Amino acid sequence: DAGVIQSPRHEVTEMGQEVTLRCKPISGHNSLFWYRQTMMRGLELLIYFNNNVPIDDSGMPEDRFSAKMPNASFSTLKIQPSEPRDSAVYFCASSWRGFGETQYFGPGTRLLVL
Amino acid sequence: GNSVTQMEGPVTLSEEAFLTINCTYTATGYPSLFWYVQYPGEGLQLLLKATKADDKGSNKGFEATYRKETTSFHLEKGSVQVSDSAVYFCALSEGGSEKLVFGKGTKLTVNP
């Protein structure tokens, strides 16, 4: 089992540029979650999907952020335009849908916006 | 709304010391409770969980008991090792939902 795969692992970009983060969930899982982790705010849920459909995007900070899940094996989180305050570690996690089910996290993408 | 409060760190212990990290929660209904661990430079991974009152989750020498009467899920280990140095997150799964609500994390450092 390859686990949750995220790319890139590190991204350095300049303010105003578009950033795209990618995630491949564990095969067979049907729920996918995007989180952001910062020292100041801790771990925040941005959005989650079930069966490729967005269920709750209340954590998406603003319109500059968007997420898609075109199929069961791929999701993207896009920031356009990026700002320095978006610098954080972004995690993707997946699970088999169910109350109390374990979420499996990827290694994260460390984003730095200059 | 639902929330998780865990003791603030950092916590520094010597090897073989006893560990307790306190976690209390506020929730409607009957949540599932989790402890996740994050090693440096890695994503979170499940350490243990409990899905109903009085359940005890255990793994790698760590234990936590779901206490409904005190709304707590404290993490304990009898003898910590240097390799246990990490950040520990308490979390709950909202009743009927897949969403996890995390505490702010407690950083543990174990010195030889």
Side-chain angles (χ1 to χ4, degrees):
Chain A
D1 189 345
V4 175
I5 299 172
Q6 291 187 247
S7 65
R9 292 294 309 277
H10 298 89
E11 178 81 25
V12 180
T13 190
E14 293 188 347
M15 183 173 63
Q17 296 298 305
E18 178 179 295
V19 175
T20 299
L21 310 181
R22 297 172 176 81
C23 175
K24 176 178 169 55
I26 292 172
S27 177
H29 283 185
N30 61 356
S31 290
L32 184 140
F33 306 80
W34 281 102
Y35 291 90
R36 178 172 67 177
Q37 185 178 40
T38 62
M39 290 293 291
M40 290 295 293
R41 300 174 67 90
L43 195 64
E44 305 172 276
L45 176 65
L46 300 177
I47 185 172
Y48 83 94
F49 296 84
N50 181 257
N51 291 329
N52 313 334
V53 176
I55 302 300
D56 185 341
D57 65 354
S58 59
M60 294 287 264
E62 49 198 272
D63 291 346
R64 297 185 298 106
F65 286 69
S66 62
K68 294 182 179 179
M69 192 164 185
N71 57 61
S73 58
F74 184 65
S75 177
T76 59
L77 178 67
K78 186 175 294 187
I79 308 172
Q80 166 63 14
S82 58
E83 296 182 3
R85 60 194 168 116
D86 301 330
S87 298
V89 181
Y90 291 81
F91 289 104
C92 176
S94 71
S95 72
W96 173 252
R97 185 188 184 192
F99 172 55
E101 289 298 326
T102 300
Q103 292 184 18
Y104 294 83
F105 282 73
T109 295
R110 186 172 295 274
L111 173 65
L112 177 62
V113 183
L114 302 174
Chain B
N2 297 341
S3 65
V4 173
T5 303
Q6 59 181 106
M7 63 185 287
E8 302 221 357
V11 175
T12 302
L13 296 173
S14 297
E15 205 164 24
E16 298 184 4
F18 184 85
L19 169 71
T20 299
I21 300 178
N22 290 336
C23 172
T24 57
Y25 66 90
T26 301
T28 55
Y30 303 96
S32 289
L33 301 173
F34 304 80
W35 278 100
Y36 280 80
V37 59
Q38 183 179 29
Y39 298 103
E42 299 183 10
L44 281 70
Q45 55 185 274
L46 179 70
L47 181 59
L48 54 84
K49 72 178 186 181
T51 57
K52 61 183 187 296
D54 299 325
D55 269 2
K56 178 185 285 187
S58 61
N59 186 24
K60 299 182 182 178
F62 291 89
E63 293 183 342
T65 301
Y66 189 146
R67 301 285 189 201
K68 188 171 183 295
E69 64 275 14
T70 55
T71 62
S72 65
F73 193 54
H74 304 321
L75 182 68
E76 296 183 337
K77 186 174 186 181
S79 176
V80 294
Q81 305 300 311
V82 173
S83 57
D84 295 327
S85 297
V87 181
Y88 292 81
F89 292 89
C90 186
L92 67 81
S93 174
E94 300 175 342
S97 169
E98 307 172 75
K99 289 173 60 172
L100 287 178
V101 176
F102 285 91
K104 293 190 180 299
T106 302
K107 183 176 182 179
L108 170 67
T109 300
V110 181
N111 295 319

